[in-house]
Amino acid sequence: MVLAAKQTLSTKIGFSAPLPRRNPSSSLQRLPLSLSFPSAALPKRTVLTLSKPLHLSVLRAKPPVRCSAYEADKSEPPQPIDDTKSEAAKKAKIGVYFATWWALNVVFNIYNKKVLNAYPYPWLTSTLSLAAGSLMMLISWAVGIVETPKTDFDFWKTLFPVAVAHTIGHVAATVSMSKVAVSFTHIIKSGEPAFSVLVSRFLLGEAFPTSVYLSLIPIIGGCALSALTELNFNMIGFMGAMISNLAFVFRNIFSKKGMKGKSVSGMNYYACLSMLSLLILTPFAFAVEGPQMWIDGWQKALSDIGPQFVWWVAAQSVFYHLYNQVSYMSLDQISPLTFSVGNTMKRISVIVSSIIIFRTPVQPVNALGAAIAILGTFLYSQVNHTAHNL
């Protein structure tokens, strides 16, 4: 739209000349725009000279944008396909970890019991298990299969109490299985949560809600019922399992307190733990049993079992490291609650498989005690997780 200002308007606002009408023939010409302002000496009259026509145009407003809020109570937005696939892959990975963990643990317990039945030297057997795992990891680091961990003196100093507790728990459990059935050892070891709560309460001063203490009743009651009704009860085997529980509780406490902020993967962490435990255990194994006993027992086992006895020893040593390695690797992928539930299910699989394979006689009352103890362990993991999230 082109408007021409009238003379009266130009005089009134102080234009020095009327605005000229636009000449169509000169529409393509660009005339300079000249603005002249008087000096400060003429304050009464302001002169504005325009040599270019004044153009006024109408701007049409855009239609308003309508914003609506998402109502969460009506429908859920669809998840991206990539997130759904990644979540499914994560669950499948955890399932593989659990299945591998349980299978390796069952195989280890079977071969370990076979070796101990024919070769009752638990200190050497425990040492061979740690030695096999240490050798496997050293080879893996040397050939580049596993990245070598970056450790320093402070790391090994912090790891030392963890290794001491791990060594005691490992040897005690092996001594227990050399004296009693595998199923009985694992029934008693299912009482580990009770030791964890008692140690944390009386030594560390940690308080727990009433629900946690109540969950210990079926654990303690079930273990006691199984011990009282065990047909082949042995005090050394029973005390070995109890000492193993206590040692592993301290191992977990030392590990949580000392290893915070250490950038070592679960696989490498357990490898370092095995190597340090091997250094601690070896002199004690020589002192308690000794080479002469080992040589005599080895010859007897070979004559009774045959060459397959060597395979049993190798299998129990390798599978011990593998199942522990997988359990530590799974800790990097799952929550403590999921790990605790998986550990409970692992004990069930070991107890059932060992009873079937070794044809262990089990009384109904003994089986009831085992079921109560394992159920209590599961309840403890649930209430303890809830208590820590409050």
Side-chain angles (χ1 to χ4, degrees):
M1 177 190 295
V2 179
L3 297 178
K6 293 183 179 181
Q7 178 69 29
T8 58
L9 180 59
S10 66
T11 304
K12 192 175 294 185
I13 65 175
F15 288 116
S16 61
L19 298 175
R21 293 184 178 273
R22 184 175 183 182
N23 189 356
S25 62
S26 62
S27 61
L28 298 177
Q29 295 180 359
R30 297 287 184 180
L31 298 178
L33 176 61
S34 171
L35 296 176
S36 63
F37 296 91
S39 63
L42 301 174
K44 294 182 180 181
R45 181 180 179 86
T46 303
V47 179
L48 177 64
T49 302
L50 295 175
S51 302
K52 187 176 181 180
L54 179 66
H55 297 272
L56 300 177
S57 61
V58 179
L59 297 177
R60 294 183 180 180
K62 293 181 180 181
V65 179
R66 186 177 184 84
C67 299
S68 57
Y70 166 70
E71 298 183 12
D73 57 343
K74 285 188 177 182
S75 62
E76 292 289 338
Q79 292 184 349
I81 298 178
D82 292 341
D83 292 348
T84 304
K85 289 182 177 180
S86 63
E87 187 67 22
K90 183 178 179 181
K91 291 181 178 179
K93 186 177 181 180
I94 294 174
V96 171
Y97 270 125
F98 273 6
T100 307
W101 178 21
W102 297 343
L104 292 173
N105 191 263
V106 169
V107 174
F108 158 72
N109 279 275
I110 292 173
Y111 280 110
N112 188 49
K113 185 59 178 176
K114 286 185 174 183
V115 170
L116 292 172
N117 286 340
Y119 190 68
Y121 298 101
W123 288 80
L124 177 60
T125 304
S126 302
T127 305
L128 292 176
S129 300
L130 296 174
S134 300
L135 180 61
M136 290 168 60
M137 290 307 300
L138 287 174
I139 295 174
S140 299
W141 291 340
V143 300
I145 298 176
V146 179
E147 183 181 358
T148 304
K150 297 179 180 179
T151 61
D152 52 15
F153 177 76
D154 183 65
F155 171 83
W156 293 101
K157 183 178 69 174
T158 307
L159 187 65
F160 182 77
V162 183
V164 171
H166 178 73
T167 304
I168 296 174
H170 175 43
V171 173
T174 309
V175 169
S176 175
M177 282 191 283
S178 68
K179 300 295 182 180
V180 295
V182 175
S183 57
F184 180 70
T185 297
H186 280 272
I187 291 171
I188 301 303
K189 283 180 65 64
S190 66
E192 184 177 326
F195 285 87
S196 179
V197 172
L198 294 177
V199 169
S200 299
R201 177 68 184 88
F202 293 106
L203 295 184
L204 303 179
E206 185 177 351
F208 295 90
T210 306
S211 58
V212 173
Y213 294 112
L214 291 177
S215 68
L216 300 181
I217 296 177
I219 297 176
I220 298 173
C223 290
L225 184 62
S226 294
L228 292 174
T229 57
E230 175 65 25
L231 295 177
N232 299 316
F233 180 83
N234 181 279
M235 182 56 69
I236 297 178
F238 174 75
M239 291 304 299
M242 297 288 281
I243 293 172
S244 178
N245 281 338
L246 187 61
F248 284 143
V249 166
F250 279 103
R251 180 193 65 178
N252 296 336
I253 293 174
F254 293 146
S255 181
K256 289 179 182 178
K257 286 184 173 293
M259 302 310 296
K260 289 182 179 179
K262 307 294 184 182
S263 57
V264 178
S265 65
M267 178 186 296
N268 284 331
Y269 178 81
Y270 181 71
C272 296
L273 182 63
S274 297
M275 294 175 188
L276 192 53
S277 295
L278 176 62
L279 295 177
I280 297 171
L281 177 58
T282 301
F284 288 95
F286 274 91
V288 174
E289 294 174 346
Q292 188 59 48
M293 296 177 62
W294 297 338
I295 294 173
D296 295 340
W298 187 271
Q299 292 175 351
K300 184 177 184 304
L302 283 176
S303 61
D304 294 342
I305 306 299
Q308 62 179 341
F309 171 73
V310 179
W311 159 249
W312 292 357
V313 175
Q316 72 92 26
S317 301
V318 171
F319 281 107
Y320 172 79
H321 175 79
L322 291 178
Y323 101 76
N324 277 286
Q325 186 181 77
V326 172
S327 68
Y328 272 82
M329 290 171 61
S330 65
L331 279 173
D332 293 337
Q333 307 292 330
I334 60 179
S335 65
L337 174 63
T338 307
F339 182 84
S340 180
V341 173
N343 195 42
T344 303
M345 300 303 295
K346 177 205 73 175
R347 297 208 185 280
I348 295 176
S349 61
V350 171
I351 291 171
V352 173
S353 61
S354 64
I355 290 175
I356 295 174
I357 292 174
F358 295 107
R359 298 179 181 178
T360 306
V362 179
Q363 293 181 337
V365 179
N366 187 266
L368 177 62
I372 294 174
I374 292 174
L375 176 62
T377 304
F378 176 77
L379 294 176
Y380 165 80
S381 64
Q382 300 294 318
V383 299
N384 188 48
H385 175 73
T386 304
H388 279 82
N389 287 340
L390 293 178

